[in-house]
Amino acid sequence: TGLRSFAKYVPDKVVKQLISQGKDAKIGGEKEYVTILFSDIEGFTSISENNDVHEVVTSLNEYFDIYVHCLEESGATVDKFIGDAVMTFWNAPTKVENHEFVAVKTALEIVKEIDKLNDKWKLEGKKFIFKTRIGINCGDVIVGNIGSTNRINYTVTGDAVNLASRLEAANKQYNTKILVSESIYNKTNNLIEYYYIDTVKVKGKEIYVKVYQPVKLK
């Protein structure tokens, strides 16, 4: 019962790992190679301000039920919810084979499932829909328990995380639903068909990266 309750607040993989090892959760981390996904809902602030609060919250819960199911089926660690946004990563604490491909495949599935949900809402006469925007990147990050002595979060941090977040935001500029980095493209283009979108400058850095839109599995 305790595990089921805690798993609603933190990744169950982390809880199970702590229980099996008989250890306290302590601050600390290590470098790991992971794939990171950020997402949010386009125009959610406007939707929440212009519609019934109960209807928006109920719809958001329905949206997250579908979204998180897709993530958990893929072996992802759902890091946190930030309002309507979701931060997720693969390959920690549990290893996931071909996690770069798994992440993009899962993103395509999420978009497909949310499109079905939006179609259902239209038939029900709902006044709004949720348009998902997703950014995906991979790289070396610091993975572990980060925070204060009394309050910690099992999460990832580093440049690779920041780029995933910025790719999510860039969807607005390019009118796309999913954007991935050049690193993801190089690891998965033999399995996934892509459109090249642009070469963009990363905010805060003097480097440019190519970004791609996944279309379908090959």
Side-chain angles (χ1 to χ4, degrees), residues 4 18 21-22 29 36 43 69 75 81 84 89 141-142 152 164 180 185:
R4 286 197 300 270
L18 287 170
Q21 294 174 351
I36 311 103
H69 175 74
F81 297 95
D84 62 299
F89 54 90
V141 300
I142 301 299
I152 59 177
V180 309
Y185 171 82

Side-chain angles (χ1 to χ4, degrees), residues 41-210:
I41 299 170
E42 179 181 330
F44 183 77
T45 300
S46 177
I47 291 172
S48 62
E49 289 176 350
N50 294 297
N51 292 277
D52 176 73
V53 173
H54 176 73
E55 185 179 17
V56 172
V57 172
T58 301
S59 300
L60 191 60
N61 289 337
E62 188 176 3
Y63 167 88
F64 280 143
D65 277 346
I66 294 171
Y67 198 111
V68 173
H69 175 74
C70 291
L71 292 174
E72 290 182 341
E73 285 290 303
S74 74
T77 298
V78 180
D79 185 325
K80 60 176 69 75
F81 297 95
I82 312 165
D84 62 299
V86 185
M87 177 180 171
T88 308
F89 54 90
W90 284 260
N91 211 38
T94 305
K95 298 302 178 184
V96 178
E97 188 175 355
N98 298 324
H99 51 90
E100 305 93 343
F101 167 72
V102 171
V104 181
K105 178 175 178 287
T106 302
L108 289 168
E109 290 171 353
I110 287 170
V111 168
K112 184 177 179 180
E113 291 302 314
I114 297 306
D115 284 346
K116 291 180 183 177
L117 178 63
N118 284 323
D119 289 341
K120 181 176 81 74
W121 284 350
K122 287 178 182 178
L123 291 174
E124 293 172 353
K126 193 161 290 190
K127 297 178 182 178
F128 57 83
I129 60 173
F130 288 164
K131 296 180 180 178
T132 304
R133 297 187 302 204
I134 296 172
I136 308 173
N137 185 37
C138 58
D140 291 328
V141 300
I142 301 299
V143 182
N145 297 314
I146 299 171
S148 68
T149 305
N150 297 320
R151 191 69 177 266
I152 59 177
N153 181 31
Y154 183 82
T155 189
V156 295
T157 185
D159 286 344
V161 180
N162 296 334
L163 179 55
S165 175
R166 284 166 183 151
L167 289 174
E168 178 276 308
N171 281 287
K172 182 177 181 179
Q173 177 182 349
Y174 297 107
N175 195 30
T176 51
K177 292 182 178 179
I178 308 172
L179 287 177
V180 309
S181 66
E182 187 173 0
S183 298
I184 291 287
Y185 171 82
N186 289 338
K187 291 281 187 177
T188 63
N189 68 80
N190 61 321
L191 298 171
I192 297 172
E193 183 179 317
Y194 287 95
Y195 289 142
Y196 167 73
I197 297 297
D198 202 356
T199 299
V200 300
K201 183 176 180 296
V202 179
K203 185 178 180 181
K205 290 187 173 292
E206 295 301 319
I207 61 171
Y208 289 81
V209 295
K210 293 179 180 178

